Amino acid sequence: MVLYVSACEGLWMIFNLGKLMMGHLVNHLHGTVLSNKLYFSDFPKLFKQIRYAHTGKFSKFLEFNGAPLPLQGCLNDHKIYFSNGGELNGIPHIQTLREFPREELFGKVVMVRFDSNILVKRECDKKNESDSNAVYTIKYLHKAGANVILVSDWNMNIPELHTDSVTDFLSEVLQIQIVPLHAMYFKKQAKMNTHEKENIHLLENLSNFKEEVANSLEFSRILSSGVDIFVNDSFSNCHKVLASTVGVTRFCYACIAGFHFEERLDQLKNLAEASTKPYVAIIGGGNLYDKAASFQFLASRCQVFVFVGMMSFQVMHALGVSIPCDLVDRQAVNEALDIVRLAQDRNVQLLYPKDFWCQKKSDPKQLQLFPSHGILDDWVPVDLGPASLDEIDYTLTTCKKIIWIGPVKFVYSSEYTNGASKLARILDKLGQNNCEITVVGTMASKLVRREKSSLSFINIIEDASVVWEFLKGRKLPGVMAVDRGYPFEMNWSSIYSDPTQSLVVDIGSGNGLFLLEMARRRQDLNFLGLEINEKLVLRCQKSIHQYGIKNGYFVATNATSTFRSIVSTYPGELVLVSIQCPNPDFNKPEHRWRMLQRSLIEAVVDLLAPNGKIYLQSDVEAVAIRMKEQFLRYGKSKLDLEYGQSEWLEENPFGVRSDWEKHVLERQAPMYRMMFSKSSGIWEV
């Protein structure tokens, strides 16, 4: 049957078909998991890596030096290279797949926003860590027993890149069967057999939907319908606000960064590290007007600016060098003057080309070398001259860190010159001598990959737009949408006199009166308050020092995201978690910023010792009921209400009241209390 619809009806039909499609798929995936949960003997089956034989239909995409793109050998042996770092230049410490508990992935529906620029391209490099990390994210999730749904956008102008062909190509890359999902053919999902249930699913090309770039709330909700965990592995889009990178995070209980995303973010953070000197910025390309804000960041870290592209003419003009008027961007004159003044104030050396290869306008085959201040009429620059390259080579000889961003590119070009390739070879030589080099941009990256030897190590970031936004000091929406992690390792020995004592955690500890009094009364326990308000935490820490309390401590953090990463490192047992009088939130439940989320509940249940307690109370009955329902729903069948509770607890079982609890009782209002106990776990497998 062929279905014809009008353009006006099209979007409505896509939304409704999308709802049904995702509903069928997610019900199908969750149903698979449910049946496996009932039979423990079936667990190993989900961890088997199934190999499929594929035809060479898309072998033309795989120019991989004769080797297949999929990683060879055991997945557990795959190495990912990262350096440790805290928060830099406004980038928060985020939750990553590397840190996320592997066992929590089993049976979950996980949506992966992958980067089509990496996984759907004609040429791949098996030595490229970025490529292998992008592949590894998907294979890791699949091997961990997650039900994986892939989503991305790709070029619609390439005929062979329709959904079915991309599906076949990804199947060949990943060596796992990828199943396409079409909105018009969602009923096909109901017919999937057991063999297909262990496949990975690919949604339609997001380029087909204008709601993607509009970050439509309804489209985001449909896209993430039934999804448990969102993994963002599309770093090249993290400077954009898209439904598939930002919008969907409202509806998933955990949002984390994939291996490729983490690797790229780590490289970005490294650009901000200024301890290695001399640090040189090689700046190519044009459009100085839009990029001028980046120089504040660069000037605070670099000792030399080397200009190699169209921007060099703006800087030369600002320095008073005589150049043809048609090479000056009048829109960027003031910005160029500001950069010159900034460099003088910060003692940053400015290096611009001293000569150019020029092409005659009337006869493009004629090339002639001109000094930068002596370019004649009817001649246009096409490449850097030998004196310029020699000066760059000499300047870079002693440097220890380099960023090259932007191509050696001018308005005109010539096939007879190769200044960019010579610059790439200069960097390759420095890379062999332990100089820390990062190359940014598609053209520069391609050149460096072609010219570099096996002995040099150069970081490569193709996504220049993301880096420029970072250098401008702007927050990256795709990064900010991912869940937060706690950036520092807790030194428990310096916090508590005896870090092996059992731990009590108060989430949302407020002004700390409850925790401070409990710490005084129970010297045999350690107490930890997690509070998002930094001023309150500073006040509590002052009280800790003032009263000489050795078994109490407060941390300023968003416990919703960081509870697991903080508490999981504690050497003793977690015996009690309390959440008292959280701020009531009467908004719609999909507002994922509320404190009591599924991810927090699961983390509490996972880390709590057998027979450990969870104490909840609120003066708002609706909030107390919601907390009770949430813990029962997401407590993994490990929680029981203490004392056979059918009603609220009449009294505070600890005899220690929080400040707000005192206030409520003074006005003779009721408190709604409950206590959960975690089962001993003897029955667990």
Side-chain angles (χ1 to χ4, degrees):
M1 180 180 73
V2 179
L3 181 64
Y4 295 95
V5 297
S6 69
C8 294
E9 294 170 324
L11 178 59
W12 177 254
M13 179 164 288
I14 287 172
F15 274 138
N16 282 282
L17 287 173
K19 291 178 185 178
L20 288 168
M21 177 185 74
M22 290 302 294
H24 276 282
L25 172 62
V26 171
N27 288 339
H28 177 76
L29 293 176
H30 277 304
T32 306
V33 176
L34 180 60
S35 65
N36 279 286
K37 282 184 177 176
L38 293 174
Y39 303 100
F40 292 104
S41 60
D42 288 340
F43 268 53
K45 294 180 181 178
L46 286 179
F47 287 90
K48 286 182 69 176
Q49 178 71 23
I50 297 179
R51 297 286 178 179
Y52 294 88
H54 301 284
T55 63
K57 184 177 178 181
F58 279 83
S59 58
K60 62 181 179 179
F61 282 92
L62 297 171
E63 298 179 12
F64 213 105
N65 299 327
L69 178 59
L71 304 176
Q72 303 297 313
C74 177
L75 285 173
N76 294 330
D77 294 334
H78 180 76
K79 294 181 180 178
I80 307 171
Y81 299 94
F82 300 108
S83 64
N84 295 323
E87 297 194 13
L88 290 169
N89 202 43
I91 291 184
H93 188 86
I94 60 175
Q95 290 278 19
T96 64
L97 183 58
R98 179 170 59 95
E99 298 167 339
F100 195 81
R102 183 186 175 100
E103 63 274 10
E104 287 301 305
L105 298 170
F106 181 77
K108 298 295 195 304
V109 177
V110 180
M111 174 178 284
V112 180
R113 204 328 179 160
F114 71 91
D115 192 338
S116 61
N117 293 324
I118 295 176
L119 294 185
V120 185
K121 63 181 181 180
R122 295 179 181 275
E123 295 181 5
C124 296
D125 181 0
K126 69 177 181 178
K127 296 180 181 179
N128 185 350
E129 291 297 328
S130 177
D131 284 16
S132 64
N133 282 336
V135 170
Y136 184 56
T137 292
I138 301 170
K139 294 175 80 75
Y140 175 89
L141 290 166
H142 184 257
K143 189 173 178 64
N147 297 294
V148 180
I149 301 173
L150 302 179
V151 62
S152 190
D153 58 341
W154 52 85
N155 194 336
M156 294 187 296
N157 298 321
I158 302 176
E160 59 263 38
L161 289 186
H162 52 79
T163 303
D164 287 335
S165 61
V166 170
T167 298
D168 290 341
F169 177 59
L170 288 175
S171 296
E172 195 159 358
V173 168
L174 296 167
Q175 289 294 291
I176 303 170
Q177 185 64 48
I178 310 296
V179 178
L181 295 176
H182 300 285
M184 294 294 184
Y185 304 105
F186 66 89
K187 290 182 180 178
K188 171 182 173 184
Q189 296 307 313
K191 300 178 181 179
M192 278 199 275
N193 56 38
T194 305
H195 182 66
E196 288 177 310
K197 289 178 183 177
E198 296 192 16
N199 301 332
I200 293 173
H201 298 82
L202 174 69
L203 294 186
E204 279 198 63
N205 187 357
L206 292 179
S207 297
N208 296 327
F209 303 96
K210 63 183 180 181
E211 295 77 21
E212 159 73 350
V213 294
N215 189 28
S216 163
L217 183 65
E218 177 66 7
F219 183 75
S220 301
R221 187 183 65 79
I222 293 169
L223 194 61
S224 58
S225 176
V227 173
D228 299 310
I229 300 170
F230 170 66
V231 176
N232 191 348
D233 217 26
S234 182
F235 184 78
S236 64
N237 286 306
C238 72
H239 62 304
K240 302 175 183 177
V241 180
L242 304 175
S244 65
T245 59
V246 176
V248 295
T249 62
R250 287 176 173 233
F251 306 102
C252 303
Y253 88 84
C255 303
I256 57 182
F259 295 125
H260 164 69
F261 195 102
E262 184 184 7
E263 173 213 0
R264 280 287 186 261
L265 193 61
D266 187 72
Q267 290 178 341
L268 204 59
K269 289 180 179 181
N270 184 56
L271 295 179
E273 290 285 358
S275 56
T276 304
K277 298 178 181 180
Y279 188 177
V280 177
I282 303 173
I283 304 159
N287 199 4
L288 177 62
Y289 181 80
D290 286 340
K291 298 168 182 173
S294 306
F295 287 87
Q296 287 285 349
F297 174 91
L298 292 170
S300 67
R301 289 158 172 81
C302 299
Q303 288 71 55
V304 184
F305 290 165
V306 179
F307 292 93
V308 295
M310 287 300 296
M311 281 192 209
S312 59
F313 297 112
Q314 315 310 317
V315 174
M316 290 159 64
H317 180 261
L319 288 169
V321 179
S322 176
I323 58 172
C325 293
D326 58 350
L327 295 176
V328 179
D329 180 1
R330 296 299 172 183
Q331 189 182 20
V333 169
N334 290 333
E335 284 69 22
L337 289 170
D338 288 342
I339 289 170
V340 170
R341 283 193 287 267
L342 177 66
Q344 291 172 345
D345 292 342
R346 297 291 182 88
N347 198 28
V348 176
Q349 179 186 352
L350 296 178
L351 196 68
Y352 59 86
K354 299 303 184 289
D355 60 346
F356 292 97
W357 283 108
C358 295
Q359 175 181 283
K360 196 168 187 179
K361 291 181 183 178
S362 57
D363 184 5
K365 291 185 179 179
Q366 284 194 45
L367 290 177
Q368 189 169 327
L369 194 64
F370 288 95
S372 57
H373 61 275
I375 300 174
L376 299 179
D377 292 341
D378 198 37
W379 291 84
V380 291
V382 293
D383 205 351
L384 299 174
S388 300
L389 289 166
D390 287 345
E391 186 176 27
I392 291 172
D393 190 7
Y394 176 78
T395 302
L396 298 181
T397 301
T398 58
C399 72
K400 299 297 182 183
K401 187 172 183 176
I402 298 171
I403 174 178
W404 175 16
I405 181 168
V408 180
K409 185 180 179 182
F410 301 93
V411 175
Y412 296 88
S413 60
S414 172
E415 59 183 301
Y416 305 108
T417 61
N418 59 352
S421 296
K422 290 179 180 177
L423 178 58
R425 288 195 287 274
I426 291 171
L427 295 182
D428 176 61
K429 180 178 65 176
L430 293 169
Q432 297 178 42
N433 294 319
N434 297 320
C435 181
E436 190 177 321
I437 302 171
T438 301
V439 175
V440 181
T442 304
M443 293 180 65
S445 299
K446 189 178 294 185
L447 273 172
V448 167
R449 284 200 177 103
R450 189 179 69 198
E451 299 292 342
K452 86 182 197 74
S453 67
S454 59
L455 298 176
S456 65
F457 181 78
I458 298 177
N459 295 309
I460 293 176
I461 306 176
E462 293 91 347
D463 320 304
S465 296
V466 175
V467 177
W468 281 118
E469 289 299 296
F470 170 75
L471 296 179
K472 292 174 189 176
R474 295 175 182 171
K475 293 182 178 180
L476 303 174
V479 175
M480 303 307 292
V482 177
D483 290 339
R484 301 289 186 270
Y486 194 68
F488 309 111
E489 185 175 345
M490 301 292 289
N491 186 352
W492 300 108
S493 296
S494 64
I495 292 173
Y496 300 118
S497 58
D498 182 2
T500 63
Q501 289 186 160
S502 296
L503 182 68
V504 174
V505 178
D506 188 28
I507 299 175
S509 52
N511 59 18
L513 293 184
F514 170 78
L515 210 67
L516 290 168
E517 181 58 30
M518 288 286 287
R520 290 192 195 98
R521 295 190 183 190
R522 293 296 302 270
Q523 298 291 323
D524 59 323
L525 298 172
N526 288 335
F527 294 85
L528 177 66
L530 303 179
E531 169 58 47
I532 200 168
N533 189 319
E534 292 184 12
K535 291 182 179 179
L536 289 178
V537 169
L538 288 173
R539 194 182 305 165
C540 292
Q541 282 298 102
K542 285 182 180 178
S543 297
I544 289 284
H545 295 302
Q546 181 180 348
Y547 297 112
I549 296 173
K550 304 296 184 183
N551 63 330
Y553 193 74
F554 293 85
V555 175
T557 185
N558 180 359
T560 303
S561 295
T562 62
F563 180 90
R564 188 186 295 273
S565 60
I566 293 174
V567 179
S568 62
T569 63
Y570 185 73
E573 286 190 330
L574 175 65
V575 295
L576 172 64
V577 175
S578 61
I579 302 176
Q580 304 184 56
C581 304
N583 291 333
D585 178 7
F586 299 109
N587 290 292
K588 294 180 180 179
E590 61 263 24
H591 287 192
R592 65 179 299 274
W593 45 262
R594 71 171 69 247
M595 184 184 77
L596 196 59
Q597 294 177 30
R598 177 179 171 181
S599 55
L600 174 60
I601 295 170
E602 291 197 349
V604 169
V605 173
D606 289 342
L607 299 176
L608 194 65
N611 299 315
K613 312 298 182 189
I614 300 171
Y615 178 61
L616 309 174
Q617 72 168 350
S618 175
D619 60 317
V620 180
E621 187 174 16
V623 173
I625 291 172
R626 177 175 171 77
M627 288 197 294
K628 180 179 178 180
E629 290 174 345
Q630 293 286 83
F631 270 91
L632 288 173
R633 180 183 302 169
Y634 300 124
K636 304 183 177 183
S637 301
K638 297 179 181 179
L639 299 179
D640 299 305
L641 283 167
E642 281 273 277
Y643 318 117
Q645 281 177 255
S646 57
E647 302 294 335
W648 306 111
L649 292 177
E650 292 186 7
E651 297 293 336
N652 183 324
F654 306 108
V656 177
R657 294 171 179 169
S658 68
D659 185 53
W660 184 252
E661 184 179 4
K662 290 178 181 178
H663 172 71
V664 171
L665 296 177
E666 283 172 1
R667 55 184 170 90
Q668 297 184 338
M671 289 295 296
Y672 304 93
R673 309 180 182 94
M674 73 205 85
M675 181 84 79
F676 286 98
S677 178
K678 182 178 178 180
S679 56
S680 63
I682 297 174
W683 54 271
E684 296 178 14
V685 177

